[in-house]
Amino acid sequence: MQTEDIQIRIEDDRTGLEIETLKRAILDNLFYIQGKFPEIATLNDYYMALAYTVRDRLIHRWLISSQTYTKVQPREVCYLSAEFLMGPHLGNNLINLGIYDRMRQAVQELGLNFEALLEQEEEPGLGNGGLGRLAACYLDSMATLDIPSVGYGIRYEFGIFDQDIHDGWQVEITDKWLKNGNPWEIARPEWAFEVKFGGRTERYTDEKGRSRVKWIPDRMVQGVPYDTPILGYETSSTNTLRLWSAQAVESFDFRAFNAGDYYGAVGNKVFSENLSKVLYPNDEQIQGKQLRLEQQYFFVSCSLQDMIRTHCDRRGLPISIFHEKFTVQLNDTHPAIAVAELMRLLLDEHGIEWDQAWHITQSTMAYTNHTLLPEALERWAVGLFGSLLPRHLEIIYEINGRFLNEVRLRYPKDDERIRRMSIIDESGDRYVRMANLATLGSYSINGVAELHTQLLKQDVLHDFAEMYPERFNNKTNGVTPRRFMVLSNPRLTKLITSKIGDHWIRNLQELRQLESFVEDLEFRSEWRQIKLAIKRDLANYIQEQNGIEVNVDSIFDIQAKRFHEYKRQHLNVLHIITLYNRLKANPNLDITPRTFIFGGKAAPGYQMAKLIIKLINSVADVVNSDPDVRDRIKVVFLKDYNVKFAQRVYPAADLSEQISTAGKEASGTGNMKFSMNGALTIGTLDGANIEIREEVGAENFFLFGLTASKVSQIKAKGYDPMQYYIANSELKAAIDRINSGFFSKGDTALFKPLVGSLMYQDPYLLFADYQSYIDVQTQVGEAYRDQDHWTRMSILNTARMGKFSSDRSIREYVKEVWKIDPLKICPPNEPCSIH
Ligand code: CBF
């Protein structure tokens, strides 16, 4: 049958947006999909029924989008990322569909608790932190801006671990996010690909007499795509997040089974499926593990094969114009193997000559760098690399040889430069440098904030930036206001919308209009009341979770992010101990009450970061129960920081801690989410803090600390933290308190590694920044006493955050990097001739 002949009847029950239709659809899904009568349905059954009701409403838009892409053949972005930290889908999809309130009413009319159903969703934690969450924000913005795009990644069976706290220590628990089923995805086994590993290569002459290479692998795995629709805000554009799951090509070996090797019969299946089993839980730290390289190659190969199939088979286009129809954005170096894989596919599978293949590859790839930390720059031992990907190593050698010849021509007799620029690090054991491969293979290379891009060009990729200046550019990160304002802060959203309408949700610069309300007494009062109400909600949550009662009139001073020494959660702790010492010395001291709230996970193998978590909890135990403190300071560690948790915390903050050592945080995005929700920032001149301060105004930002260039200078001169310790009595007292065993029940050994590292090395310059931090914290305390002024600053923070919408970032990528035109998608069931 011809597909044109088939008229599919799309039923109103699956698309209708009326309250009665929504109610009927939920009950229908409960019956037909969950297979339950209401009397015995669980909360999860209702959640699933609701989620399917929403998914049904995405499907038609999704199919029209993909049909339109097939017809129009637009240029598309493929966003390759080893991590997508999506957060719960339900609420976000309701916002983007524009039916949030209507659905709440429908659910309530069915006698169900809407909030409890939203809460029921297990979030897909397929990322560690900033990098994965950025990818998720960018998917939202690309769909919202009608940019044809696909997000490609890995469907990890176990995402980022859940964090529990036992006796103050972090304990990791397996994240079984799929255990109740995932209503948002659709498996597409019919579109699976095979991925090869290991073995050897062989040269042969083809029928045209050309010398060609064949890769004879020693094992093969299958990648099965699972697709999730990504609907934009107030548009029909629905793009795809395509995550690959690893499966055995042949899942049961009958020969082994018949020979009595029962385990061996499924051995290959177990081995293959391990590939997409678990997300590596390290943020900005590489371990060089074989499985990690296998994961990277696995998803990159599946994704590139998928693009080529779409291009050549589905759209019937010649491979020679592949780069005109696709651009690939490499989210850090994790997918950088794409450069060698696309070359391999073009050379070996499509018979393209080297120069043309290189032209296509280099015109396709664009690379975003997300970190300057040396421990996060990926490199793979040549031995490991070659045994896993022998053909790719050959291709990389060839790329490198040709490239280094160019460098020699341009910079004759500069052997040092050759050594630095080579893709192969030969300074000791030999390694493949993935950042060099990504840079060389890309037509665009960008950092994620002005300072970061500047340092990237100055330092890590200096030689490349000198040789190819036109390829380097900055794209300051952004975050989606749909999730991080509209969904997570409905009260503030309502107030803002009541004053300036709702266009700001699509065009965040419109928040500037709020500036004219700063002098409006009633508006300020409403603003303050809203913050207070949200703080009250968080206080209740803290009471429930930690059994700690907090004062909602105190400053909610929040540091929520991954634990890393460069982020300096321990500097925050030194401030807490300093305040504590002052109160102990003078119990009647008049300080502004504060609640210090921490949240975040540490990589399981990162002992120092775990010790900092233990220190926070130990300080909390002492401070919270000391009668001398009389509730003027409270310390709370909220466990299991994830997207859901973040949505609860950002709106409740008065003060956002962005206190990394200058030059270390590439951008930060939590800093943006706090500030958008009216928190004031205490921060260093690091990452996007600099641009946030420029936007909100220096007078509405608490700045402290050394600049990045001062940090480098001090380090170059030979930094001695001990001098600061000796010279600063308050700093000394804080450190001595920890050292004395005061927070560890007399155990003087417990925090020794941490204190020793600070006193003798202090690689992140806490001691050098200590006094400036304490002084500015004192100013914060004083400023908070003038609530009216604080509220003005809070409003101005929100009003001036327009720049940090991910829509702005994506518009810049579209215009300056990808060069893609938006493509409007027709709404379902409406006559339409747009594109
Ligand atoms: O660019 C997104 C984020 O990426 C990181 O989280 C990363 O993993 N490299 C950086 O640490 C952040 O600064 C950055 O905002």
Side-chain angles (χ1 to χ4, degrees), residues 678-697:
L680 274 71
T681 304
I682 179 163
T684 47
L685 284 178
D686 199 17
N689 292 355
I690 300 176
E691 293 159 70
I692 292 177
R693 182 167 169 268
E694 271 164 22
E695 292 294 306
V696 303

Side-chain angles (χ1 to χ4, degrees), residues 163 170 559-563 569 598-602 613 637-641 645:
Q163 180 194 54
Q170 167 176 298
Q559 189 167 14
K561 49 179 77 232
R562 281 300 283 246
F563 271 78
Q569 281 92 350
F598 293 87
K601 295 175 184 175
I613 293 181
F637 185 95
L638 280 172
K639 69 176 185 186
D640 206 24
Y641 183 64
F645 172 114

Side-chain angles (χ1 to χ4, degrees), residues 210-221:
R210 295 180 314 174
S211 169
R212 304 274 296 268
V213 180
K214 202 177 345 175
W215 176 13
I216 300 146
D218 58 18
R219 61 198 167 91
M220 206 113 87
V221 172

Side-chain angles (χ1 to χ4, degrees), residues 535-595:
K535 285 170 74 177
R536 213 167 273 131
D537 286 351
L538 184 62
N540 291 337
Y541 182 75
I542 291 173
Q543 177 69 266
E544 248 169 58
Q545 289 282 311
N546 297 37
I548 300 174
E549 195 182 323
V550 302
N551 170 8
V552 291
D553 293 321
S554 65
I555 306 175
F556 274 26
D557 174 338
I558 309 189
Q559 189 167 14
K561 49 179 77 232
R562 281 300 283 246
F563 271 78
H564 200 296
E565 286 162 279
Y566 85 78
K567 296 181 190 277
R568 303 200 295 192
Q569 281 92 350
H570 42 342
L571 179 59
N572 191 340
V573 177
L574 289 180
H575 173 230
I576 299 173
I577 299 176
T578 302
L579 286 183
Y580 178 70
N581 284 345
R582 287 181 187 170
L583 287 171
K584 291 301 279 182
N586 177 6
N588 292 323
L589 191 72
D590 182 21
I591 67 161
T592 313
R594 283 205 202 217
T595 302

Side-chain angles (χ1 to χ4, degrees), residues 585-648:
N586 177 6
N588 292 323
L589 191 72
D590 182 21
I591 67 161
T592 313
R594 283 205 202 217
T595 302
F596 294 92
I597 300 168
F598 293 87
K601 295 175 184 175
Y606 189 173
Q607 294 312 327
M608 198 64 95
K610 291 174 117 174
L611 195 56
I612 297 173
I613 293 181
K614 171 68 179 168
L615 177 64
I616 292 169
N617 285 309
S618 304
V619 170
D621 284 347
V622 171
V623 170
N624 296 348
S625 60
D626 189 330
D628 282 348
V629 173
R630 273 183 274 119
D631 290 347
R632 281 166 293 175
I633 51 180
K634 281 272 165 75
V635 183
V636 177
F637 185 95
L638 280 172
K639 69 176 185 186
D640 206 24
Y641 183 64
N642 56 16
V643 178
K644 238 192 223 182
F645 172 114
Q647 288 173 205
R648 184 193 298 278

Side-chain angles (χ1 to χ4, degrees), residues 86-104:
M86 299 301 289
H89 290 287
L90 177 56
N92 195 247
N93 281 328
L94 289 171
I95 298 279
N96 284 8
L97 272 169
I99 59 166
Y100 191 90
D101 290 335
R102 214 178 301 175
M103 187 61 99
R104 171 194 273 133

Side-chain angles (χ1 to χ4, degrees), residues 129-132 134 283-284 331-332 368-371 448 477 566-567 664-669:
L131 174 140
L134 185 80
D283 195 37
E284 308 216 55
N331 200 25
D332 218 290
T368 304
N369 173 287
H370 291 268
T371 182
V448 289
N477 285 343
Y566 85 78
K567 296 181 190 277
K664 297 290 176 194
E665 187 71 87
S667 159
T669 43

Side-chain angles (χ1 to χ4, degrees), residues 155-169:
R155 182 179 179 271
Y156 301 104
E157 187 180 334
F158 305 120
I160 185 71
F161 62 87
D162 294 336
Q163 180 194 54
D164 207 349
I165 300 291
H166 292 182
D167 186 28
W169 293 99

